[in-house]
Each structure stands twice: as C-alpha cells, then as structure tokens.
Amino acid sequence: MNGTHTSIPIPDHDPKAPLLSDADSPVHRSGSFRSTVKSIFNLKNLYVLLGPVLCAGVCYFVKLDGASGVGSRNMLGVLMWVFTWWLTEAVPMPVTSMSPLFLFPMFGIAAADEVAHSYMDDVIALVLGSFILALAVEHYNIHKRLALNVTLLFCGDPLNPPLLLLGICATTFFVSMWMHNVATAVMMMPVATGILHRFPIGSSRSPAETNFCKAVILGVTYATPIGGMSTLTGTGVNLILVGMWKSYFPEADPISFNTWSFFALPMALLIFFIFWAVLCLMYCPTGSGPALSTHLDKTQLKRELDALGPVAFAEKMVLAIFSILIFLWMTKNITDDIPGWGSLFDGRAGDGTVSVMMATLLFIIPNRKQEGEKLMDWNKCKKLPWGIILLLGAGFAIADGVNRSGLADILANALNFLEKAPYLAVAPAVCLVSSLITELVTSNNATTTLVIPILIQIASIMHLHPLFLMIPGAIGAQFAFLLPTATPSNVVGFSTGYIDIPDMIKIGLPLKIVGIAAVSLLMPSLGSLVFETNKPMQ
C-alpha cells in the first residue's frame, strides 16, 4: 500500500529440527491433559453430579408405604436433586429453579403444562407488578429520598448505629403490617441499599462498615415477616388460618381483624425488639459509630436531600399509584361484615390482579418531563430480577408436586406423634415442624394449608381448643429464617449480595428460637384471653 514490498522470510528447513513444536510436544499435551482433567473433576462439577446421584439413591433405596408410595418416593428424590443444586449453587440458582419443568414430567409427578402453570399464578403476578413499581420508585430516586429522610430522622448527632438500625427495621415492620411481605421486601430493600451505597465497596470497606451493611439487610429481610404476622392483611398465612377456622367451625365466633391484632401485634413487637437487640449485639458493637459517621454526616445528608429538589410530578404519581395499590390490597377482603371490593368480582380478582393493573398505569400516565414520555417504558424494565421470579415459581411447582405425589400426606402423618405430648411440649414442636417444612419443602401458605387439618385432629384427641394448635402451626410456618429460598423476603435480601447463608443462620437461628418461645408462652396466656379459648366450642 505504501509502495514498498515487505517479504516474509521463510526459514530453511533443518532436518535436525523437531517435527513437533513446543505447543505440540508430549510435555505440553500432558500439561493440557492435566488441566482438562482438573477442569472436569473440580468441586463444582462434583456438586452437579451429587444432585442426580442423591436422587437416584432415594429412588432406589427408599421405600414409602401407601398407594402413592412410588410417586412420593420420586418426589422426594427430585427434592434432593433440586435442593442439592440450590444449596451448593453448582448450577446458577435461576437455572436450578427451572429444573422442575423437566424433572417432574420425567419422574411422572406432573405433566409439563401443569408444572409450567406454577410459574405464573396470582402470587407471581403480584411479584411481577410489585417489581415494576419498585423499579419506578428506584428510577425516580424515591427510594433515595426516603432513605435520606429515614437516615436523617434516626441518624443522631453523633451517629448512633443501633438507633439508625432501629429506624430502618421499624419502618419495614410498619410497612409490612399493611402490605404483602413480598411487596414490602421489594419496596424497602432499595431504601436499605440506598443507605448502604454511601459506604466503600469491596475490600476497601472496614469490618465495622461490612457488619453494619449486613445488619441493615438482615434487618429489612426479617422485619418484613415479623411485621406481616401482626395483622390479618400482612400475610396470606393469617388469612388462610382465619378461612380454615371459619370453614371447620362455622358456628364459632370468627377471628376479626381486631381480634387477631390484639394477640399478634404484642407478640410481633416482642419478637421484633429482641431481634433488634440480637442484631445490634452481633453486628453493631459498641464503638462502631465513629467508623460509620464519616459516611453518614448529617450536614452532608441534608445537602444531598436538598439537591434532589422538590418532589416532581412523576414522583408524586408513582407514590400515588403505590398508595392506591396498598389501599386496594388492604380493602380487597376486610371482615365478614364488610367484605371489601373483592366481593364485586365474586372472588375472581386477586392481589396480583391489582398489582399488574397499577403497574400498567405506569406505562400510560405521562411523566411531564418530555413530550410523549410515560412514567415507565419497557427498556427500564430490563432490570427485572427474573431469577427471583423463577425461584418463586420453582417453590410453587414444588409445593404442587409435594401435594400431587402424596408426599404431603406422609409428611402430615409424621405429626401424629404429638397427640400424647403435653401442651408446652406440643406448641414448640408444632412451630418447629411448621417452620422446617416451610424452610425445606414448600411455601408458608402451603405449609399452613397442609398442617392445620392435622392439628385440628390432634387438638381433638388431646381435648384442646383447636386454636391452641392452629395458631402456633400457622405462625410457626412464618418462622423460616435460615435459608435464602425459604421465603420471598429471604430471597430479596439474599439477592442484594451483602449477606450470605452463614449470616442468615447466625441471626435466623436465635430469631427462630425466640419466635417459637414467644408463641408457645403467649398462646395459653394472652391468646386464651383474646380468643376466649376457655369457652366451650359450639
């Protein structure tokens, strides 16, 4: 091209030169072979094999009685496979979450269409709509504004880390009283991470900063279910309990919103404050304030809040839509005397219905920033956490598979040993078994539906008022604090990357013990007064 010719020198062939280059030499090939073997036989690949191996072992060696023995055995094997991959993370969690779509048909548990249905039901729709709303909150920096206000309110001068942690946890607790647990976790986690983004990242973060970050995420994660159990509308488990009480005992006084709150709110507050104290003890030691104060200076926080400017039209509209959604969730089903707006649709509308409907409004209402631009567009939704949605779908698919295969009946019959035990031994056992079923097998809603009919029979055999066992069974199903896959709020907290499984066990285990003790002691005392269990059943 430049007018000169460049020749490429060709070396003369040396008859003594080796025919193989260094790259082709046996030594190199030996090293390459070793690296190949190493890449195949590593710990992660062994964990990949461990799942199907355990499944095959269960299917070959375990024998379960009954007409559904083969189906129950296969379902147990599939559970071993899926949970091994989840716990070891040998395969990415979202990919593992899709495995029921091929495992259930292969093992004769359910047809492909039936399994796929679990991945898009009303609860998934609720999560999907809630996530879109959460993305809108994040896009317009509403979570940052809320985080700055909460931090300023509880920051203190000088900084008091336990007080700030109390403010974040208490805010989550209050919101969870009125919103679904999933929606609360999705709404409050960006608020928490908005505060934590002020700290250094990675190895430059000091131990005090790392511990405080973990404390905040754990606080939001666990304050969500604790607040949810305090009101009837806080979680679906409470509504299932009330519905079953009315179905099994139609002549008895129904459990009203106020009746439940008189018992559950003091119990939840007791658990909450002990939880906060344990969290401070383990993650906010005395003297950690100075290390954190440089990142949470009040003057700087006020400057940042002022820099956000006044609340714009778009922010007001997103907040209005969120407020309307909360109102619709709260008023869909109120009491027996005041049925709520859900009765207008003969029960066809669910929480997911209004969640998606409100999310749709975000794509219709203009944001008044640019001509033709709406509050949200689909490009902004590319950040939707599909991994979490697939994980929830897997949980529902497993719950359905456990019931279809007959494994649910075998698990339920395992509770029959409780019928001859004293009450102060039965109540903690009921809570523990319910929480473990939720932790390892299925959702808390499915656990409640599974164990309550059995507990009613056990209460009858023991000559106890049914609520003495029904309430510990239902509330115990919400004490799933150990594993990230146990509840949606656990998943949301774990997905932030600030905490790992040992952190969850470190806080979750004492929290589970405290919760079980609180329910077991309060039910025969406060519960007896509130629910009038001393009255004869009609």
Side-chain angles (χ1 to χ4, degrees):
M1 296 295 293
N2 59 3
T4 60
H5 177 72
T6 305
S7 62
I8 302 174
I10 301 175
D12 294 332
H13 178 66
D14 182 0
K16 295 182 180 180
L19 295 175
L20 294 176
S21 66
D22 288 344
D24 297 323
S25 67
V27 175
H28 183 85
R29 278 185 293 153
S30 174
S32 176
F33 176 74
R34 282 197 210 98
S35 64
T36 302
V37 170
K38 231 173 172 185
S39 67
I40 293 174
F41 295 100
N42 57 37
L43 192 59
K44 183 163 260 191
N45 286 342
L46 290 176
Y47 285 146
V48 171
L49 289 174
L50 183 61
V53 166
L54 289 176
C55 176
V58 169
C59 291
Y60 186 78
F61 292 108
V62 175
K63 305 296 180 187
L64 298 176
D65 297 330
S68 61
V70 174
S72 302
R73 181 203 64 195
N74 289 351
M75 185 65 213
L76 187 61
V78 168
L79 285 177
M80 292 295 292
W81 185 332
V82 174
F83 284 131
T84 299
W85 279 6
W86 266 341
L87 291 173
T88 62
E89 296 187 12
V91 178
M93 196 173 285
V95 178
T96 303
S97 299
M98 292 190 288
S99 60
L101 289 166
F102 66 85
L103 290 176
F104 282 21
M106 281 173 53
F107 284 85
I109 296 165
D113 286 342
E114 293 166 342
V115 183
H117 178 75
S118 300
Y119 286 80
M120 184 49 74
D121 67 356
D122 185 62
V123 176
I124 300 291
L126 166 71
V127 173
L128 192 57
S130 300
F131 276 140
I132 292 173
L133 280 161
L135 285 176
V137 167
E138 185 177 351
H139 176 70
Y140 291 105
N141 283 325
I142 297 172
H143 67 298
K144 187 175 182 181
R145 193 183 294 275
L146 181 58
L148 287 169
N149 278 296
V150 170
T151 309
L152 276 169
L153 184 62
F154 292 98
C155 196
D157 197 6
L159 176 67
N160 186 340
L163 182 63
L164 177 57
L165 186 60
L166 177 62
I168 297 168
C169 294
T171 304
T172 306
F173 179 96
F174 179 77
V175 171
S176 187
M177 290 173 64
W178 314 107
M179 290 178 64
H180 194 282
N181 283 355
V182 179
T184 301
V186 169
M187 176 183 171
M188 290 303 300
M189 204 56 72
V191 175
T193 54
I195 295 172
L196 301 185
H197 285 161
R198 313 180 62 81
F199 294 99
I201 300 173
S203 58
S204 58
R205 192 184 293 152
S206 69
E209 292 163 352
T210 300
N211 284 335
F212 184 74
C213 289
K214 290 182 176 184
V216 169
I217 298 300
L218 289 167
V220 172
T221 301
Y222 294 140
T224 298
I226 297 172
M229 66 182 68
S230 64
T231 62
L232 279 185
T233 55
T235 176
V237 170
N238 299 345
L239 294 172
I240 291 172
L241 170 67
V242 171
M244 284 194 164
W245 171 252
K246 183 180 178 182
S247 175
Y248 278 89
F249 306 101
E251 303 299 323
D253 293 333
I255 301 174
S256 67
F257 186 96
N258 290 336
T259 302
W260 179 263
S261 296
F262 287 148
F263 169 76
L265 183 57
M267 178 198 68
L269 287 171
L270 175 64
I271 296 171
F272 172 78
F273 282 110
I274 295 176
F275 160 63
W276 169 69
V278 172
L279 203 57
C280 291
L281 184 66
M282 292 190 175
Y283 288 100
C284 292
T286 305
S288 60
L292 304 174
S293 59
T294 55
H295 307 289
L296 295 170
D297 179 62
K298 265 197 157 184
T299 307
Q300 179 63 23
L301 290 170
K302 286 177 182 175
R303 262 196 242 110
E304 290 189 27
L305 188 59
D306 292 337
L308 292 176
V311 181
F313 171 81
E315 294 177 65
K316 291 176 182 176
M317 290 308 302
V318 172
L319 286 172
I321 290 171
F322 225 130
S323 301
I324 293 170
L325 177 59
I326 295 170
F327 176 77
L328 290 174
W329 275 338
M330 289 175 57
T331 57
K332 183 169 78 74
N333 297 300
I334 304 174
T335 65
D336 291 333
D337 298 326
I338 309 172
W341 61 264
S343 61
L344 299 174
F345 301 93
D346 297 326
R348 291 189 296 270
D351 290 334
T353 307
V354 291
S355 180
V356 173
M357 182 178 71
M358 290 293 106
T360 303
L361 291 178
L362 296 171
F363 299 86
I364 298 172
I365 299 171
N367 64 9
R368 289 194 183 176
K369 286 187 174 182
Q370 292 183 9
E371 186 69 29
E373 193 174 277
K374 311 301 182 183
L375 291 172
M376 286 289 284
D377 59 62
W378 191 246
N379 285 330
K380 297 186 183 81
C381 294
K382 289 179 179 177
K383 292 166 62 180
L384 277 171
W386 293 107
I388 295 176
I389 294 170
L390 288 171
L391 182 60
L392 290 173
F396 296 137
I398 287 171
D400 187 55
V402 167
N403 287 318
R404 283 177 183 273
S405 64
L407 184 60
D409 297 328
I410 293 172
L411 292 173
N413 290 334
L415 293 171
N416 286 333
F417 74 94
L418 299 172
E419 62 189 35
K420 294 181 181 179
Y423 178 73
L424 287 179
V426 170
V430 164
C431 283
L432 181 61
V433 170
S434 290
S435 69
L436 290 177
I437 292 174
T438 302
E439 204 89 59
L440 300 172
V441 180
T442 183
S443 67
N444 50 21
N445 290 344
T447 300
T448 307
T449 307
L450 168 69
V451 303
I452 282 185
I454 305 300
L455 295 177
I456 290 173
Q457 297 302 319
I458 294 174
S460 175
I461 294 170
M462 295 179 66
H463 306 290
L464 284 173
H465 192 285
L467 289 178
F468 273 130
L469 295 185
M470 290 174 69
I471 289 175
I475 293 178
Q478 301 173 65
F479 292 153
F481 302 130
L482 301 181
L483 297 176
T485 56
T487 66
S489 58
N490 288 13
V491 174
V492 173
F494 185 75
S495 65
T496 62
Y498 284 96
I499 58 174
D500 49 30
I501 292 177
D503 291 312
M504 299 186 76
I505 294 174
K506 186 177 177 181
I507 294 295
L509 188 59
L511 182 55
K512 188 189 285 281
I513 294 170
V514 167
I516 290 173
V519 177
S520 303
L521 295 175
L522 287 177
M523 190 57 218
S525 51
L526 178 62
S528 183
L529 290 173
V530 171
F531 298 109
E532 299 180 334
T533 54
N534 57 334
K535 286 186 177 180
M537 293 290 298
Q538 296 180 356

